[in-house]
C-alpha cells in the first residue's frame, strides 16, 4: 500500500469522524449552536483537522445532508434491484399499487435527517452560495429518483402518466412534506416510515397508468 493511499484513507476516516460528530452535536443543540469547536471536541480532533477537510460549517452540514439524501436514494435503488431479482415485477401491471408499496417499504428519514434538511433549507434561503449548492444537490437527487422510475418502467411493466423527471419531483415533494409533518407530530421512527411510505404509495398510484383491460 502506497503512502498516498494510506494518507487518503486516513483523511477520509478523519472526514467521516467529523461528519459523525457533527450529526451528534446537531441532534443535541441544532445547526446554529453546533459550533466548530464542539464538533472537533466530539470527534477528538483540533480545529486544524476540521479546516483541512471543510472550509466552513455550512459545507460540512451540506455534505451531511447529501449523505442523508444519498442513503435515501440507495435504499430505494437496492429495493428495486431486490424485487427485480425476486421476480416481483412480473405481472406488476395487475397490482401496481402493491408493487409500489413494496418498492417504498424502506427506511424513511429519521428525525435527525428531517431536522437537518429543514434547517439547511432555511439557511440556504439566506445565503446565495449555500442556496446554489443546495439546489445542485436537490437536482442530483431528483435525477437519481427519475432514473429509478425509468428502471421500474423500462420493461413496460408499469407506465407512468408523467415524465420521470416530473414524477420524481412530485414524489420528493410528498416525501419531504410527509416526513416533516411526521417529525412535527412527534411520531416514532417506525410510524414515520409507515406514514411516509403510505403517502408516497397513494401518489404513485395516481401517476401510474391503470392496466389495460
Amino acid at each position: 500500500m502506497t503512502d498516498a493511499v494510506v494518507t487518503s484513507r486516513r483523511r477520509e476516516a478523519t472526514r467521516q469522524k467529523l461528519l459523525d460528530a457533527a450529526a451528534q452535536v446537531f441532534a443535541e443543540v441544532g445547526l446554529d449552536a453546533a459550533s466548530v469547536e464542539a464538533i472537533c471536541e466530539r470527534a477528538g480532533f483540533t480545529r486544524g483537522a476540521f479546516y483541512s477537510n471543510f472550509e466552513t460549517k455550512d459545507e460540512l452540514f451540506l455534505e451531511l445532508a447529501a449523505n442523508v439524501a444519498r442513503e435515501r436514494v440507495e435504499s430505494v435503488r437496492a429495493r428495486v434491484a431486490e424485487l427485480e431479482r425476486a421476480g416481483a415485477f412480473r405481472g406488476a401491471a395487475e397490482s401496481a399499487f402493491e408493487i409500489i408499496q413494496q418498492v417504498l417499504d424502506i427506511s424513511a428519514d429519521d428525525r435527525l435527517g428531517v431536522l437537518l434538511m429543514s434547517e439547511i433549507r432555511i439557511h440556504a434561503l439566506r445565503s446565495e452560495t449555500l442556496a446554489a449548492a443546495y439546489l445542485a444537490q436537490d437536482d442530483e437527487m431528483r435525477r437519481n429518483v427519475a432514473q429509478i422510475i425509468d428502471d421500474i418502467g423500462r420493461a413496460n411493466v408499469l407506465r407512468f402518466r408523467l415524465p420521470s423527471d416530473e414524477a420524481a419531483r412530485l414524489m420528493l415533494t410528498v416525501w419531504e412534506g410527509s416526513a416533516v409533518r411526521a417529525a412535527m407530530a412527534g411520531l416514532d421512527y417506525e410510524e414515520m416510515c409507515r406514514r411516509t411510505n403510505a403517502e408516497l404509495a397513494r401518489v404513485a398510484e395516481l401517476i401510474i397508468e391503470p392496466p389495460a383491460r
Side-chain angles (χ1 to χ4, degrees):
M1 187 179 298
T2 66
D3 291 343
V5 172
V6 171
T7 299
S8 177
R9 289 186 177 179
R10 185 178 298 133
R11 179 182 176 83
E12 183 57 35
T14 298
R15 192 178 183 89
Q16 189 58 53
K17 284 183 179 179
L18 286 166
L19 286 166
D20 292 342
Q24 294 169 13
V25 174
F26 168 77
E28 294 169 3
V29 300
L31 184 59
D32 285 329
S35 66
V36 170
E37 290 77 10
I39 294 168
C40 291
E41 182 178 353
R42 182 67 58 90
F45 295 125
T46 64
R47 286 171 60 90
F50 180 94
Y51 286 111
S52 67
N53 285 276
F54 302 98
E55 290 187 8
T56 64
K57 187 177 72 170
D58 280 349
E59 181 188 345
L60 181 149
F61 280 106
L62 192 63
E63 181 165 335
L64 195 57
N67 289 344
V68 171
R70 194 175 300 115
E71 289 171 6
R72 182 175 10 174
V73 170
E74 288 307 314
S75 292
V76 177
R77 197 188 304 280
R79 184 63 170 156
V80 169
E82 177 187 341
L83 290 170
E84 192 170 26
R85 286 193 300 270
F89 291 136
R90 288 195 292 271
E94 298 301 322
S95 56
F97 184 61
E98 288 79 3
I99 290 297
I100 291 297
Q101 283 185 312
Q102 290 183 63
V103 169
L104 298 172
D105 185 19
I106 54 166
S107 298
D109 291 339
D110 58 15
R111 185 174 178 80
L112 172 60
V114 172
L115 289 171
L116 180 63
M117 297 299 288
S118 296
E119 289 215 27
I120 285 182
R121 194 175 295 116
I122 290 171
H123 281 249
L125 288 170
R126 303 190 183 111
S127 165
E128 290 185 6
T129 301
L130 189 57
Y134 177 87
L135 290 173
Q137 186 185 102
D138 192 61
D139 285 342
E140 180 182 1
M141 177 74 167
R142 190 181 67 255
R143 285 193 297 271
N144 286 332
V145 174
Q147 182 59 57
I148 292 171
I149 291 172
D150 285 336
D151 289 344
I152 293 174
R154 68 181 177 274
N156 289 325
V157 173
L158 297 178
R159 298 178 64 86
F160 292 85
R161 291 188 171 99
L162 299 175
S164 59
D165 186 70
E166 293 180 23
R169 188 188 300 276
L170 178 59
M171 297 285 280
L172 285 171
T173 298
V174 172
W175 193 331
E176 291 168 3
S178 177
V180 168
R181 287 193 301 275
M184 286 181 176
L187 302 181
D188 62 26
Y189 180 67
E190 289 186 2
E191 185 62 14
M192 285 181 71
C193 291
R194 191 191 70 77
R195 294 274 187 95
T196 301
N197 292 341
E199 288 198 23
L200 279 169
R202 284 194 290 271
V203 172
E205 189 177 30
L206 292 174
I207 64 177
I208 292 173
E209 291 282 3
R213 298 297 183 183

